Each structure stands twice: as C-alpha cells, then as structure tokens.
C-alpha cells in the first residue's frame, strides 16, 4: 500500500510539474512581446494571404503616397504608444483602426485604406501595446487595449476638434478591443464600432485553440496562465469579455465574420450579436477564413460598411 501511495504521489507530482511547465511554455509563446510570432499566428489562422498580395502591395504603394505622420500618446500605465496618422479629405470624419494579434497598424488596413480614402475619412492606424512601435512587454488582448483606445479617442479630439465624428474599426484582437471599448463611457463623438472577426475573450479563444489545434485540455493550463498574467500584466484572461461588454453598448455596432474561420469561430460573433444591447448589424461572409472577409467578398463588405456608416455619420 505504501508503494502504491508513493507511486501515486510521484505521478501526481510529475503531472503537476508537467502542467506547470506546459503553462509556462504556453504563456511565454503567447503573452510576451518577442515570443509571440507573426509567422506562427498566420500559420495557425490558416488564411492564404499569398493570393491577395499583389492587390495589397498595390494599395500599400498608393497609401504611402498620401500625407502621413508618426504620432504618439501615453497609456494610463505610462507606455509610449505609436500610431500612423493619415488626414482625410473630410476633416470631420475619422476612423481609428486596431489590428490583430502579432500584427501592426500599417499591415491590417492596407486593403481597407482604399475604401476609407474614397469616403473621405482620416485614418489613425494604431500599433496596440507590445506591437509595432508601441511600448509594452505584455500583450493586452483587448483588456488593456480598450483603455489605450480611450487615449487615442482623446488624441483625435485634441487634434481634430469637438465636431469630429469617430468610427472605431478593429480586426481580430483589434475587433475584440473595440467591442470591449463599447462597454466604457464613450464620448459623443464616437458614432459607431465595426468589429471584423473579433473574439469574446482571451480565455475562450485560447481554449478553442488548445482544443482544436493542439488537442489539449484547457484545464488547468488556462487557469494557471491567467493567474500568472494577472500578476505580471495586470489582468486575468477572462477579466474582460466582449460578449459581456456589448450588453452595455450604447453606440451602433457592425459585426463581420467569415463562416470558414477556424481560428476565431463564427459562433463567437453570433454570441456577441445576440448579447449586443445597442443597434446592431451582422455580415457573415461565406467561405472566408480568419480576417479574410474583405478580400473574399469586397463588394458585400464595402456595401455593409456604407450602409452602416450612412446611418450614423453625416
């Protein structure tokens, strides 16, 4: 009996060490700047971007021909955050754009820049904390970035004046950011929010990835990582959930998602739509993988944007 108890204790000890080691490995790869790799994210998301590169490159060249400048603001916790500012033809319309996980402002909105320029919008392309030229060691996954978003809204108000009309547009992690921002007390100048393939919470998207891509149980790995992140980055992985925040939303929201998204499942979009308390619209793009909706059906995407914007911005 003593041998069995000893063997069981050893087994449990090894299991605990293995779980702790796995959690630490997962945490380092996912939550810390420099360890979270763009190439790995693209591979996991599964979207074939090569087919769109000629169009993206052409639009990037046109975009960079426009007047633009690097701008900065300070986060509540003292980080120097970076964005690229493109003034628009209409001085009273601005879209603030938030990119996806491991990306940066000047990457995710190259395609859409053509649409927003045609509509006369100024564009503020934000580098979220721990991305691009913004400071930060720990990735915010929307929980911290929503407070940073409030700082960028204030920057626009200072730069453009009180009569400015602001649209928030986010993709993937940026989509989660703008949806989580919807639960805050927004200035009256923020007229609407567009979320493209935004997730509900870091906990739920990590759980999905562990199950679907690594065939691993989320418990207790996610719980351990959440405790570590609370200690180091200041937030738990389920501390802010977009599906809960939109219950407090007061501005109109447009949700866009691809039904072939295996990285952030479409059911998250449906849950967010169901919970949203404000005026809402939803576009599901058939056959679109993660963050591919605009390129998969550009006509439907732009039509949905124009219909949405036409009802909220003059």
């Amino acid at each position: 009996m003593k041998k069995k108890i000893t063997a069981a204790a050893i087994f449990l000890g090894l299991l605990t060490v293995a779980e702790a080691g796995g959690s630490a490995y997962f945490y380092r790869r996912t939550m810390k700047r420099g360890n979270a790799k763009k190439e790995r994210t693209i591979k996991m998301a599964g979207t074939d971007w090569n087919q769109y590169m000629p169009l993206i490159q052409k639009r990037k060249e046109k975009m960079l021909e426009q007047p633009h400048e690097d701008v900065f603001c300070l986060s509540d916790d003292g980080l120097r955050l970076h964005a690229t500012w493109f003034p628009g033809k209409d001085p009273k319309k601005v879209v603030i754009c938030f990119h996806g996980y491991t990306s940066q402002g000047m990457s995710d909105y190259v395609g859409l820049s053509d649409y927003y320029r045609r509509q006369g919008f100024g564009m503020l392309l934000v580098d979220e904390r721990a991305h691009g030229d913004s400071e930060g060691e720990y990735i915010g996954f929307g929980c911290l970035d929503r407070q940073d978003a409030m700082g960028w809204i204030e920057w626009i108000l200072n730069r453009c004046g009180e009569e400015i009309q602001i649209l928030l547009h986010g993709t993937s992690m940026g989509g989660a950011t703008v949806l989580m921002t919807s639960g805050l007390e927004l200035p009256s100048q923020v007229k609407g929010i567009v979320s493209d393939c935004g997730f509900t919470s870091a906990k739920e998207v990590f759980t999905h990835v562990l199950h679907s891509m690594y065939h691993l149980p989320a418990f207790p790995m996610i719980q351990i990582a959440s405790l570590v992140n609370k200690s180091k980055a200041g937030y738990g992985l389920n501390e802010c959930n977009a599906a809960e925040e939109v219950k407090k939303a007061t501005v109109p929201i447009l949700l866009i998602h691809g039904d072939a998204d295996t990285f952030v499942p479409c059911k998250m979009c449906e849950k967010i739509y169901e919970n949203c308390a404000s005026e809402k619209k939803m576009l599901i793009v058939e056959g679109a993988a993660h963050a591919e909706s605009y390129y998969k059906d550009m006509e439907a995407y732009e039509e949905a944007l124009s219909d949405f914007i036409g009802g909220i911005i003059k």
Side-chain angles (χ1 to χ4, degrees), residues 90-251:
D90 188 334
K92 297 304 178 185
K93 296 194 301 188
V94 166
V95 58
I96 308 178
C97 302
F98 298 86
H99 60 78
Y101 176 61
T102 68
S103 189
Q104 59 187 55
M106 284 295 291
S107 293
D108 287 11
Y109 289 89
V110 170
L112 271 167
S113 66
D114 179 73
Y115 171 82
Y116 278 122
R117 282 195 307 107
R118 280 188 276 118
Q119 303 302 318
F121 276 81
M123 298 184 74
L124 184 69
L125 307 182
V126 171
D127 284 348
E128 299 197 51
R129 61 171 56 216
H131 289 80
D133 291 327
S134 287
E135 294 180 344
E137 183 179 1
Y138 297 100
I139 295 170
F141 283 99
C143 294
L144 301 180
D145 307 288
R146 67 178 187 154
Q147 297 296 342
D148 299 339
M150 296 298 286
W152 285 117
I153 291 169
E154 185 179 352
W155 186 92
I156 286 291
L157 292 174
N158 290 334
R159 179 67 175 252
C160 301
E162 295 293 319
E163 293 183 7
I164 193 70
Q165 299 173 92
I166 300 172
L167 183 70
L168 306 180
H169 192 141
T171 301
S172 192
M173 187 181 79
T177 296
V178 295
L179 290 172
M180 291 175 186
T181 305
S182 76
L184 302 175
E185 190 174 342
L186 294 168
S188 61
Q189 289 85 355
V190 177
K191 302 301 183 182
I193 290 172
V194 180
S195 171
D196 184 339
C197 63
F199 52 76
T200 49
S201 72
K203 179 186 176 182
E204 290 182 5
V205 78
F206 292 160
T207 297
H208 168 74
V209 168
L210 285 171
H211 286 165
S212 64
M213 299 183 185
Y214 292 99
H215 309 292
L216 291 170
F219 180 83
M221 196 176 294
I222 293 293
Q223 285 71 20
I224 294 170
S226 184
L227 289 171
V228 173
N229 201 59
K230 180 71 173 177
S231 171
K232 293 182 176 293
Y235 70 97
L237 299 185
N238 202 40
E239 195 164 302
C240 194
N241 188 309
E244 295 300 313
E245 292 303 311
V246 295
K247 291 179 179 179
K248 299 177 280 185
T250 57
V251 300

Side-chain angles (χ1 to χ4, degrees), residues 270-292:
E270 292 164 355
K271 182 179 179 181
I272 292 165
Y273 181 84
E274 208 174 282
N275 286 0
C276 184
S278 62
E279 180 186 337
K280 57 193 176 182
K281 295 184 178 183
M282 181 167 62
L283 171 68
I284 303 299
V285 179
E286 186 178 349
H290 189 63
E292 189 188 20

